[in-house]
Amino acid sequence: MDPFDRFSARVDGTRRRAHDLQRRSRAAAADEPLMDEALETLQSSLEELRVSEEELRVQTEELASSRMLLEAERERYRELFDLAPDPYLVTDARGVVSEANHAAATLLGVPADALCGRPLAVFVPAGERAAFREGVA
C-alpha cells in the first residue's frame, strides 16, 4: 500500500470514528451542544483534509507523469548527443570535461568515460598547450 493509500485509509477511519462518536454523543447527551459542535468541527476538518489529500494525490500523479515525459525527452537528447557524428565535449569554466560523445572519444583515442573529469588541455600536444590555454590555437 502506497503512502497516499495509508494516509487516506487513516483519514477515512478517523472520519468513521468521529461520525460514530458524534452519533453516540447525540444519543447519550442531547443537552451537550458543545460536544456536538466540537464533533461537527472535527468532521468538517476531516472532510477538508480528505479533499486536500485528493488534490495532493492528483498533483503527485501529474508530477510523476511529467517526470516520466521529461526523462524520456532527456534520454532522447542524450542519445542524439552520444551518437552525433561530430565530436562534442562539455567542459566547465576551467576546461575540465564533464561530458563527451562517442565521436570525441574516437577522435582523442580514449573511452568517453575516461575523458570525463580530465582537463581538455591534456589531450592537446605538449608544444601547443600554451597557445591552447591562451585561446589562440
Side-chain angles (χ1 to χ4, degrees):
M1 183 181 278
D2 76 12
F4 279 118
D5 290 338
R6 284 194 305 270
F7 179 76
S8 184
R10 291 179 107 177
V11 169
D12 287 342
T14 303
R15 288 178 64 217
R16 283 190 302 275
R17 287 190 299 276
H19 180 70
D20 185 51
L21 183 58
Q22 187 175 26
R23 183 183 50 77
R24 285 189 284 158
S25 171
R26 285 181 180 157
D31 59 333
E32 289 288 337
L34 187 58
M35 176 65 114
D36 195 46
E37 184 180 329
L39 289 170
E40 284 180 20
T41 301
L42 176 59
Q43 287 285 21
S44 176
S45 296
L46 287 168
E47 179 58 24
E48 289 176 18
L49 185 58
R50 188 198 64 72
V51 169
S52 295
E53 180 265 333
E54 185 57 34
E55 289 172 354
L56 186 58
R57 181 185 300 266
V58 168
Q59 289 174 356
T60 300
E61 289 170 358
E62 289 172 353
L63 283 172
S65 177
S66 294
R67 182 176 181 193
M68 287 175 51
L69 290 172
L70 286 172
E71 187 61 30
E73 190 74 6
R74 187 199 66 77
E75 184 60 32
R76 181 168 128 10
Y77 282 106
R78 180 82 231 172
E79 288 175 6
L80 287 172
F81 177 83
D82 288 339
L83 301 176
D86 296 320
Y88 290 110
L89 295 166
V90 178
T91 64
D92 64 12
R94 298 179 328 239
V96 176
V97 177
S98 59
E99 295 182 61
N101 70 352
H102 180 72
T106 300
L107 176 70
L108 297 173
V110 295
D113 59 344
L115 286 168
C116 296
R118 296 179 67 189
L120 185 56
V122 301
F123 299 102
V124 175
E128 298 174 25
R129 285 184 187 158
F132 174 78
R133 287 191 175 113
E134 293 175 15
V136 185

